[in-house]
């Protein structure tokens, strides 16, 4: 039976590897964190379904169909690279990620519009249902095919990279991007072809998955999440590493299903976290690759101009006057926006000035919300005390976890935070007796003096606006300077006596505490907490807000929160194709304002100022 | 703990990277108030020596002793750059490293705040603190006119000056300068190193520096050490080094008399 | 055919009854605010919304409720409770709806229920399955139309208990719907058959099943019977892998929701024979009420109705009935009007029970079979929801006291 399980695991490993291989190749060369990789896989499944439906149901027909699909998705990848990403190579890496996230939204919606709402399944030919006997148990021929295809693709990639001129260039680009420029190679063509290859691999694996699974619009997110885990464990840019990691994860899933069926996901993300803590560059990754701070653009940080202060004061007064006009929907929308602002500001604190990107910031929001909810419901703490309890809990945890986090940087750090958030999410979902599972903890409405909507709104306004201002003030304090110094030049900072690790650690803790405050307020604003507060899409929301606002702009969280939550709420209320429109909006904004909206506004303002000066003088 | 008169003493320093000996049995001493130049062709191991003394990475073997101030010899090999800074070592980097999101003045303020143990203050505006002192340091290196510019937009030579000001803000006893004049015009080089020379005579700090421009080296240094392929091949005054056959053969003889960038 | 659309209408008109009609001062519409996962789970929610719109038109063409037309406003909940509350806030505070309704996901249903209580609004949960909604977390403001997880499992339990299987394994998605289904099944089966043992549990992540691993682990436990609660894409992957490796050969399978057309359709030629399932046979159920409903739906949308359509259609009729029975539109009056109201469904009259606000709408239990490359339900029967609910004394203990 063990042999049977091992073979099962190897079949799974190949499926996982095929998706991850494309992602790691793309990252290795272009440094694009391709969030849309899962969507390319999904499109591979749908397109593959169309193609295969027109071909004979034989192994030959299937092979041909898969290759045709790979080619189609490869071309699509090329188009995405040329139309969207090519404009963004000069801007910080996180903005490319944001653009690819726009593609995710669009692709999901397009699939629903084109193929309707049902899950799409490929009728299975006889060979797909055939089995061979392994220690007396029937073992699918399909799994055997997959077991062969995975290593075959690995071999093909190896040959491609080691035996062709193009491959040599790709390797050179992976090692050292400047060198490619120096050799006079048309970087554009290299990046486009690499992206096309990666997309083709995603398309191939999508088509190959059809005998086993149904195509659904939900498959994109789970595929990209798995692929990221594998790519990070294997080491970014390392195809062989991705293969090893696929085997590791597949073995974990297969044997985990028997030993700890309810905790397989926790185990997968825990393994990823452990690998990153022990080997910060993954199993076969090299140091320095993807380790540099993401979102860096050297830019002088200045205090607020009178205009910005004026706008801020006006906005605050306007916000404070809202209850006089509407105590209903507008009030609740404003409340949500204020909380989103504080949440985003706490992320901006570590990610912008701190240079520590996070894909899992919702963990702290969630810990704050759950801390408040649990202490309120099990110990009957009043609202204010329970929120404080949540903040203290989150800060202590952030201080503990932070000691592992701060040793990493760049995408590896981002992925470690992602792993941590997934574990917290899974625990919130699984520990039903403690957290109520997905059904959450209910009936937590504000009490005492804050029971009226207006009073609670005043509290939210005070704490969120106050919180944002405090975080801002800290960024201009000696500590804030030291934090930026560690990001700007950490060797220089250390050689000037700045304790780089402790400064980052404290910043991480502060950020966690403020995120928890926003989470605690949210719990009482919504009257309940749920694991969805911790899930990936909530982390991504915060990331989008900060990036749209402009990561190096101090006003980013405020601008971004207003633009993003306003846009999303409006579209969601207006139309069912809101995901597509939101995706398009994100891509347009990123293309027009590669430094974020706040960054662009600052830039225009500065130009306006200098023009006025030159006219005056 | 052993007594020492020197500011810095290095004994049998070795560093290997994956089996390649980048620095091999280097010993040197820097006296108080002495300017010591470390020269050698590219890849001779100068920066590696610097990074071991500065604490950027630990040596494979060997001792590095720093004068603890009261004559005690403090071993600093592998203790990390922040501890080394605390013991009074300031440095500049071969590839300039400044705080790009800050103005020139704020860069120096940052270093001053660190020295005054003020970085754990979370409330006061850093921009208002120690500003005069920062400007005074900038004046010393001739950057006062550019104090409010962004460090990110400075010319290369000015960056080098800024780095010097940042290093001086730590009030070092020993200053390590890795290629302090690279990228500067030759007039600027002489001026900058003359400035350093003045600092040495007025404050009594010691300087260990590497430099490609031999004119500068011969002009300002008290003694010169020549490194080749990780080994120390000669030590002496400018005149002695100029006269050294071996140095001439491997180094001066190649015609490389000025910075090769 | 004896029973036509007109009959269905007559039944609903009768149930609207008199009290409110006399006092209908205005012709202002009665607003129903509905929140659901339209973007995320269109498979269910699209036919559901179609049927709601159809029911609203049908009722309005007959003069509305107490002389006032119904107006339906739907909002997307982004498949998460926090967005659902935002949408509900808009409906209640801005659109000033008279009745809040909706919820496909259990956590959305629970969040809306808590919000309804907080905002003094009446809420009718449509498809949220969590037992807690009308029991442990039940409140006076909340009614629920669809049969709960407990009820669905209880409908199948006699059939499961009759099976010879004694060693059972379970597979369910790893979230509260799944855990609740498995727990209920284990408890109810054990009560009927003390001799059964449960030898394995599989908990694949929702929408991310690793079917090879799950099936291999189940096979390794060598059970006689399998209880399945996976659905949608997870179900397809599970069934395919299970079919190929012979997991279901000589084993009894009892499966929740699999007979609903939404999920059965996607199985196609992979549909396994003989599984005992809950679901809805759609056009295959030829009782007059259902036939009228199927015909009407087909006339509108050129398709057989899914379970979602049943729920959407019935939801509107149940709200019309509840409002019609109320003396006014205040929360207290609506609560009184809804508690104990009977309303028409394609399967006959049902009731929102006064004791726990759970409707007595039932579901179908039958067996899966393959016909012409498609899955269908055979040997099915409609199980009245009232017949599987626990005695009132038990329900009283489950409801919170306040």
């Amino acid at each position: 039976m063990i042999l049977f399980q091992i073979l099962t695991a190897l079949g799974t490993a190949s499926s996982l590897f095929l998706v991850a291989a494309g992602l790691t190749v793309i990252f290795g060369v272009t440094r694009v964190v391709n969030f849309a990789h899962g969507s390319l896989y999904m499109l591979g499944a749908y397109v593959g379904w169309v193609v295969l439906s027109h071909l004979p149901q034989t192994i030959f027909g299937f092979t041909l169909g898969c290759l045709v699909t790979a080619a189609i998705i490869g071309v699509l990848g090329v188009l995405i690279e040329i139309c969207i990403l090519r404009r963004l190579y000069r801007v910080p890496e996180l903005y490319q990620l944001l653009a690819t996230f726009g593609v995710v939204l669009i692709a999901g919606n397009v699939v629903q519009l084109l193929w309707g709402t049902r899950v799409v399944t490929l009728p299975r030919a006889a060979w797909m249902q055939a089995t061979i006997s392994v220690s007396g148990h029937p073992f699918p021929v399909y799994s055997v095919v997959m077991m062969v295809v995975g290593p075959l693709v690995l071999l093909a990639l190896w040959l491609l990279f080691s035996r062709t001129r193009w491959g040599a260039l790709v390797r050179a680009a992976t090692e050292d991007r400047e060198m490619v420029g120096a050799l006079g190679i048309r970087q554009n063509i290299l990046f486009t072809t690499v992206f096309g290859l990666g997309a083709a691999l995603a398309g191939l694996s999508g088509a190959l998955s059809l005998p086993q699974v149904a195509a659904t619009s939900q498959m994109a997110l789970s595929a990209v999440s798995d692929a990221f885990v594998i790519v990070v464990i294997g080491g970014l840019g390392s195809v062989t590493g991705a293969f090893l990691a696929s085997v590791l994860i597949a073995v974990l899933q297969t044997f985990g299903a028997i030993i700890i069926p309810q905790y397989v996901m926790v185990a997968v993300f825990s393994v990823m976290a452990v690998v990153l803590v022990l080997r910060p560059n993954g199993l076969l990754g090299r140091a320095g690759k993807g380790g540099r701070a993401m979102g860096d653009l050297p830019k002088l940080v200045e205090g607020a101009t009178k205009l910005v202060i004026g706008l801020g004061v006006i906005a605050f007064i306007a916000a404070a006057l809202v209850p006089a006009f509407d105590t209903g929907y507008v009030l609740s929308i404003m409340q949500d926006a204020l909380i989103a602002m504080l949440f985003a500001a706490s992320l901006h604190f570590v990610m912008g000035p701190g240079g520590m990107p996070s894909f899992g910031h919702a963990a702290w929001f969630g810990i704050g919300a759950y801390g408040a909810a649990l202490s309120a419901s099990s110990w009957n703490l009043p609202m204010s005390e329970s929120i404080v309890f949540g903040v203290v809990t989150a800060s202590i945890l952030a201080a503990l976890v932070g000691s592992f986090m701060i040793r990493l940087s760049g995408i590896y750090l981002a992925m470690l935070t992602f792993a941590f958030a997934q574990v917290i999410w899974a625990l919130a979902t699984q520990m039903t007796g403690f957290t109520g599972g997905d059904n959450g903890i209910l009936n937590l409405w504000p009490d005492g003096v804050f029971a009226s909507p207006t009073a609670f709104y005043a509290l939210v306004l005070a704490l969120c606006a106050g919180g944002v201002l405090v975080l801002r003030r800290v960024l201009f304090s000696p500590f804030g300077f030291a934090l930026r110094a560690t990001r700007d030049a950490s060797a220089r900072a250390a050689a000037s006596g700045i304790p780089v690790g402790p400064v980052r650690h404290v910043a991480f803790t502060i950020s966690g505490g403020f995120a928890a405050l926003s989470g605690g307020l949210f719990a009482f604003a919504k009257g309940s907490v749920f694991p969805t507060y911790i899930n990936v899409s909530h982390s991504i929301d915060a990331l989008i807000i900060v990036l749209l606002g402009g990561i190096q702009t101090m006003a980013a969280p405020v601008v971004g929160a207003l633009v993003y939550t306003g846009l999303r709420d409006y579209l969601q209320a207006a139309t069912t194709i809101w995901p597509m429109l939101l995706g398009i909006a994100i891509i347009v904004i990123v293309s027009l304002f590669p430094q974020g909206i706040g960054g662009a506004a600052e830039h225009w303002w500065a130009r306006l100022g200098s023009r006025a000066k030159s006219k005056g003088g | 703990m052993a007594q020492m008169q020197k500011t810095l003493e290095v004994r049998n320093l070795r560093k290997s990277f994956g089996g390649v000996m980048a620095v091999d049995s280097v010993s040197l001493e820097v006296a108080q108030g002495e300017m010591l130049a470390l020269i050698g062709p590219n890849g001779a191991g100068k920066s590696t020596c610097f990074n071991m003394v500065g604490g950027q990475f630990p040596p494979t073997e060997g001792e590095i002793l720093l004068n603890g101030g009261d004559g005690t010899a403090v071993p600093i090999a592998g203790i990390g750059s922040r501890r080394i800074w605390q013991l009074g070592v300031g440095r500049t980097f071969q590839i300039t490293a400044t705080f790009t999101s800050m103005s020139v003045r704020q860069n120096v303020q940052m270093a001053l705040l660190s020295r005054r143990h003020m970085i754990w203050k979370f409330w006061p505006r850093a921009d208002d603190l120690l500003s005069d002192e920062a400007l005074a340091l900038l004046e010393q290196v001739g950057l006062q006119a550019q104090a409010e510019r962004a460090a990110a937009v400075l010319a290369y030579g000015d960056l080098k000056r800024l780095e010097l000001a940042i290093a001086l803000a730590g009030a070092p006893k020993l200053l390590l300068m890795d290629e302090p004049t690279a990228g500067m015009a030759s007039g600027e080089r002489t001026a900058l190193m003359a400035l350093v020379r003045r600092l040495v005579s007025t404050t009594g700090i010691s300087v260990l520096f590497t430099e490609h421009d031999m004119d500068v080296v011969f002009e300002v240094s008290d003694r010169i050490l020549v490194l080749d392929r990780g080994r120390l091949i000669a030590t002496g005054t400018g005149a002695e080094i100029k006269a050294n056959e071996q140095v001439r053969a491997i180094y001066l003889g190649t015609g490389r008399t000025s910075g090769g960038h | 055919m004896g029973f036509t659309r007109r009959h269905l209408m007559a039944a609903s008109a009768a149930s609207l009854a008199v009290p409110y009609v006399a006092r209908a001062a205005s012709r202002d519409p009665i607003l129903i605010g509905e929140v659901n996962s339209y973007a995320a789970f269109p498979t269910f929610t699209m036919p559901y919304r179609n049927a709601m719109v159809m029911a609203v038109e049908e009722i309005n063409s007959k003069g509305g409720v107490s002389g006032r037309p119904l107006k339906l406003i739907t909002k997307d909940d982004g498949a998460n409770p926090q967005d659902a509350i935002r949408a509900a806030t808009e409906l209640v505070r801005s659109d000033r709806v008279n009745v809040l309704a909706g919820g496909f996901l259990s956590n959305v249903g629970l969040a809306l229920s808590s919000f309804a209580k907080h905002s003094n609004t009446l809420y009718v949960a449509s498809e949220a399955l969590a037992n807690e909604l009308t029991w442990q977390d039940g409140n006076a403001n909340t009614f629920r139309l669809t049969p709960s997880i407990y009820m669905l499992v209880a409908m199948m339990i006699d059939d499961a208990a009759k099976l010879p299987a004694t060693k059972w394994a379970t597979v369910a998605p790893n979230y509260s719907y799944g855990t609740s289904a498995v727990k209920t099944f284990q408890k109810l089966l054990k009560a009927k058959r003390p001799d059964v043992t449960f030898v394995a549990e599989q908990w694949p992540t929702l929408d991310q099943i690793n079917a090879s691993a799950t099936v291999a682990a189940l096979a390794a436990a060598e059970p006689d019977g399998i209880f399945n609660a996976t659905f949608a894409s997870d179900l397809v992957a599970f069934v395919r892998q299970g079919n190929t490796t012979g997991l279901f050969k000589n084993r009894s399978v009892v499966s929740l929701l699999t007979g609903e057309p939404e999920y059965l359709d996607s199985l196609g030629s992979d549909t396994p024979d003989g599984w005992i399932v809950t679901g809805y046979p759609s056009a295959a159920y030829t009782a007059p009420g259902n036939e009228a409903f199927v015909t009407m739906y087909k006339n509108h949308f050129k398709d057989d109705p899914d379970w979602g359509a049943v729920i959407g259609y019935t939801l509107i009729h149940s709200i019309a009935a509840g409002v019609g029975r109320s003396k006014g539109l205040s929360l207290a009056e609506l609560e009184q009007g809804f508690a104990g109201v009977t309303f028409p469904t394609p399967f006959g009259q049902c009731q929102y029970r006064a004791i726990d606000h759970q409707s007595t709408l039932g579901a179908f239990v039958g067996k899966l079979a393959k016909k012409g490359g498609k899955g269908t339900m055979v040997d099915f029967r409609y199980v009245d929801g009232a017949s599987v609910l626990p005695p009132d004394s038990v329900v009283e203990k489950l409801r919170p006291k306040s």
Side-chain angles (χ1 to χ4, degrees), chain A residues 112 117-119 122 124 131 138 210 212 218 222 253 257 261-262 329 336 430 438-439 443 526 530 532 569, chain C residues 39-40 42-43 81-82 85-86 89-90 107 114 118 174 176 201-202 208 210 212 240 244-245 265-266 306:
Chain A
Q112 279 190 1
T117 57
R118 297 279 168 105
V119 292
L122 183 74
R124 296 201 299 168
T131 55
L210 283 170
Q212 201 170 27
Q218 279 113 39
S222 57
Q253 282 183 353
Q262 204 146 10
Y329 179 57
D336 285 4
Q430 296 315 315
D438 326 72
N439 288 346
N443 301 319
K526 298 292 167 192
F530 298 98
T532 50
D569 293 350
Chain C
T43 315
Q82 62 266 34
I85 289 181
R86 188 191 303 123
T89 308
E90 184 177 7
N107 54 13
S114 171
H118 179 65
N174 200 2
S176 49
E201 292 177 7
Q202 277 301 298
Q208 297 188 35
N210 177 339
S212 318
R240 287 191 158 190
T244 309
T245 59
D265 277 6
S266 54
D306 291 350

Side-chain angles (χ1 to χ4, degrees), chain C residues 264-277:
Chain C
L264 195 50
D265 277 6
S266 54
L267 287 179
S269 61
D270 294 307
T271 306
D273 271 321
W275 283 23
I276 296 167
V277 297

Side-chain angles (χ1 to χ4, degrees), chain A residues 301 473 476 484 488 492 496-497, chain B residues 82 91 97 101 114 123 126:
Chain A
V301 173
R473 174 88 193 197
F476 285 98
R484 269 195 280 142
D488 288 350
R492 169 82 269 163
S496 298
Chain B
R82 196 172 104 78
R91 72 164 295 174
S101 66
S114 168
W123 202 247

Side-chain angles (χ1 to χ4, degrees), chain C residues 159-400:
Chain C
D159 298 45
K162 279 180 207 141
L163 295 166
T166 54
K167 279 165 70 188
W168 284 82
T170 62
V171 53
N174 200 2
Y175 76 108
S176 49
Y177 152 76
T179 45
S180 183
V182 167
K183 227 182 274 167
T184 309
F185 181 78
Q186 291 177 338
K187 201 175 130 206
L188 294 181
L189 187 63
K190 201 86 183 151
K192 298 235 173 214
R193 284 280 299 270
D195 59 322
V196 299
T197 49
F198 289 91
V199 293
E201 292 177 7
Q202 277 301 298
W203 301 101
T205 307
L206 179 64
D207 284 332
Q208 297 188 35
I209 192 171
N210 177 339
S212 318
T214 304
V215 167
L218 285 175
E222 297 179 346
D224 318 319
I226 296 171
F227 172 72
N228 166 61
T230 65
F231 58 95
S233 58
D234 291 338
L235 176 71
V236 174
F238 173 62
V239 167
R240 287 191 158 190
Q241 184 72 12
N243 278 345
T244 309
T245 59
L247 177 69
F248 310 129
K249 219 174 262 170
N250 306 321
R251 289 196 172 110
S252 315
V253 181
V254 174
S255 188
L256 204 59
L257 306 185
T258 312
E260 290 181 8
E262 286 89 336
Y263 308 128
L264 195 50
D265 277 6
S266 54
L267 287 179
S269 61
D270 294 307
T271 306
D273 271 321
W275 283 23
I276 296 167
V277 297
T278 64
Y280 171 52
S282 197
Y285 179 52
T286 53
N290 188 56
E291 207 161 60
F293 168 68
V294 170
T295 310
M296 183 180 357
Y297 190 86
K298 262 188 144 159
N299 286 342
H300 274 81
F301 306 108
K302 316 274 172 269
D303 200 2
D304 284 345
D306 291 350
W307 180 245
V310 172
I311 292 294
Y313 181 78
T314 310
L315 175 72
I316 296 298
H317 276 287
S318 76
I319 290 173
V323 172
R325 188 167 171 260
S326 304
K327 293 200 177 72
L329 292 174
S330 75
L331 174 64
E333 289 166 321
L334 285 172
E335 257 175 48
Q336 265 192 339
F338 271 74
V341 72
T342 54
F343 53 88
T345 78
F347 324 128
Q349 291 283 318
C350 288
Q351 186 191 25
Y352 282 122
R353 307 188 336 156
I355 185 173
D356 59 359
H357 295 185
Q358 170 66 46
S359 95
T360 58
L361 180 68
F364 294 80
V365 174
K367 285 187 174 165
L368 291 187
K370 223 175 346 191
K371 272 184 196 161
K374 284 174 78 176
T376 56
M377 263 175 98
V378 295
D379 302 340
F380 53 80
R381 63 179 196 280
Y382 175 71
V383 183
D384 182 3
S387 70
V388 291
L389 279 158
D392 289 359
S393 57
V394 175
V395 171
E396 264 160 14
K397 268 184 219 143
L398 288 171
R399 296 271 291 185

Side-chain angles (χ1 to χ4, degrees), chain A residues 298-301 303 470 473-474 476-479 481-482 484-485 487-489 491-500 502-503 506 510, chain B residues 56 81-82 85 91-93 97-103 106 110 113-114 118-127 129 150 152 163 166:
Chain A
K299 183 170 156 304
L300 182 61
V301 173
V470 166
R473 174 88 193 197
V474 170
F476 285 98
S477 75
F479 173 78
F481 270 51
R484 269 195 280 142
R487 177 204 61 185
D488 288 350
R492 169 82 269 163
S496 298
I498 297 168
V500 176
V503 164
V506 169
I510 292 175
Chain B
Q56 277 67 35
S81 60
R82 196 172 104 78
W85 167 86
R91 72 164 295 174
T92 68
F93 291 84
T98 58
F99 308 129
T100 45
S101 66
M102 301 179 201
S103 71
Q106 288 169 342
M110 182 72 257
L113 287 166
S114 168
M118 286 164 78
I119 60 163
W120 295 109
K121 287 182 186 294
F122 291 84
W123 202 247
R125 287 183 61 86
D127 197 49
L129 301 171
E163 274 214 293
I166 293 172

Side-chain angles (χ1 to χ4, degrees), chain A residues 68-148:
Chain A
V68 169
T69 305
I72 293 173
I73 303 300
V75 170
L76 184 71
V78 166
L79 290 176
I80 292 174
E81 200 275 344
I82 292 175
C83 300
I84 301 173
L85 294 173
R86 184 171 288 183
R87 303 154 183 278
L88 297 173
Y89 287 127
R90 296 240 169 83
V91 307
E93 285 163 12
L94 282 169
Y95 283 91
Q96 299 148 18
L97 176 135
L98 189 55
T100 62
F101 185 70
V103 175
V104 171
L105 291 173
I106 297 171
N109 217 179
V110 164
V111 159
Q112 279 190 1
L113 293 176
L114 285 182
W115 284 281
T117 57
R118 297 279 168 105
V119 292
V120 164
T121 49
L122 183 74
R124 296 201 299 168
W127 71 267
M128 293 177 192
Q129 304 183 47
T131 55
I132 57 167
S133 176
V134 172
S135 44
H137 297 274
F139 187 78
V141 168
Y142 168 78
S143 295
V144 179
V145 171
M146 287 307 288
M147 250 187 288
V148 177

